[in-house]
Amino acid sequence: TSISTVTFGTGITEIAPSMFAGCKQIKEISIPANIVSIGDNAFHYCEKLEKFKIEDSEDVLTLGEDTVWIERREYSSGGIYVEYNCRHSGLLSCTNLKEVYIGRNLIYPSSFNRGFKEKTKCGYEWSNSWNCNASRVLSHFYNLGTPFKSKIDVMIIIGDKVTRLGNFLFEQQSMLSFKVPDNCKEIGDYCFYHCHKLQSIDLNNCNTIGSKAFLECDKLQSINFGA
């Protein structure tokens, strides 16, 4: 938990799952071009992480997700059973980012299947502390979409190597205006979904706009379609 600075060498190609989970002193991370994959929970509860830079590259960067387990115990007439809730969200949703630089195309989990997903009974397990057999139920809740935390004001800068803005990428962000980079040709589905403060957008050279890219952008007044 005392780690405050991280530097990646040129031989590193991936960040392992949960690698920096709980490192609450890290304020800034720069992902070099040689890294092509970041695993699940890699920055889980890095609460002071403010700056996240993905350096320019032609290679695609694959992002995992952030998963939170919440244990809930409930009593019933037949004894105690334990229910484990698993919540899935964007990789950086447990951080408090203020500035993000995206220098290449991203692949990350994105889905409109929000809320309760599935619930399965996984059998019984013995608990010494409860002195009984407890039925174990596993439930999943999904809030996938943007890799970032929603409903916060993040300054997001897009580099020239980015050719596609992915599905849900800017969901619920607080930008007032946005200009699509020169080399970006495509905006994914729900890309600006729920951006209630967005007033103007310059699409520049973009020639493909995904389904419902501006859904619930209720203050959007100006769109420049470029050339």
Side-chain angles (χ1 to χ4, degrees):
T1 57
S2 61
I3 296 174
S4 59
T5 303
V6 179
T7 303
F8 299 102
T10 56
I12 304 296
T13 59
E14 65 179 87
I15 297 175
S18 302
M19 187 168 185
F20 300 103
C23 293
K24 298 182 179 182
Q25 302 304 317
I26 297 177
K27 294 184 178 180
E28 186 172 345
I29 288 280
S30 183
I31 308 297
N34 45 280
I35 291 180
V36 296
S37 176
I38 301 177
D40 295 344
N41 299 306
F43 304 104
H44 183 61
Y45 283 123
C46 291
E47 296 173 348
K48 293 185 179 180
L49 185 59
E50 295 181 349
K51 293 185 178 181
F52 192 84
K53 181 177 181 180
I54 300 172
E55 296 181 6
D56 293 357
S57 174
E58 302 286 350
D59 296 326
V60 175
L61 177 62
T62 300
L63 305 179
E65 63 182 49
D66 195 88
T67 307
V68 181
W69 288 91
I70 302 173
E71 179 181 331
R72 186 171 73 242
R73 305 173 186 174
E74 295 187 4
Y75 294 85
S76 65
S77 58
I80 302 173
Y81 73 89
V82 184
E83 183 172 327
Y84 296 88
N85 292 330
C86 183
R87 299 183 181 272
H88 303 259
S89 55
L91 180 70
L92 299 165
S93 61
C94 281
T95 65
N96 289 298
L97 291 174
K98 295 181 179 179
E99 181 178 326
V100 175
Y101 179 87
I102 302 174
R104 51 176 151 159
N105 290 338
L106 302 176
I107 296 177
Y108 52 89
S110 60
S111 171
F112 201 62
N113 295 323
R114 309 303 175 89
F116 182 76
K117 182 67 175 178
E118 62 177 305
K119 188 172 184 179
T120 56
K121 187 174 181 179
C122 301
Y124 295 87
E125 60 183 16
W126 177 256
S127 171
N128 291 327
S129 59
W130 304 327
N131 197 29
C132 71
N133 282 322
S135 63
R136 184 171 182 267
V137 179
L138 180 66
S139 58
H140 289 270
F141 295 85
Y142 287 82
N143 190 31
L144 296 177
T146 176
F148 319 112
K149 181 184 291 186
S150 298
K151 299 181 180 179
I152 56 175
D153 189 5
V154 181
M155 182 173 71
I156 301 177
I157 303 171
I158 307 295
D160 292 335
K161 299 293 185 180
V162 176
T163 60
R164 183 181 188 274
L165 304 179
N167 299 352
F168 294 97
L169 182 61
F170 300 124
E171 178 189 358
Q172 296 189 34
Q173 300 303 321
S174 300
M175 71 272 283
L176 299 177
S177 62
F178 188 84
K179 181 177 180 179
V180 176
D182 292 343
N183 294 330
C184 186
K185 304 299 182 183
E186 181 180 355
I187 293 176
D189 298 345
Y190 296 92
C191 186
F192 294 90
Y193 173 55
H194 223 308
C195 289
H196 282 304
K197 294 185 179 181
L198 184 64
Q199 298 178 14
S200 65
I201 186 165
D202 185 345
L203 296 176
N204 207 348
N205 297 316
C206 180
N207 54 33
T208 301
I209 300 176
S211 174
K212 301 179 181 179
F214 302 103
L215 182 65
E216 297 188 20
C217 294
D218 43 22
K219 291 187 178 180
L220 186 60
Q221 300 175 9
S222 174
I223 301 178
N224 180 9
F225 286 96

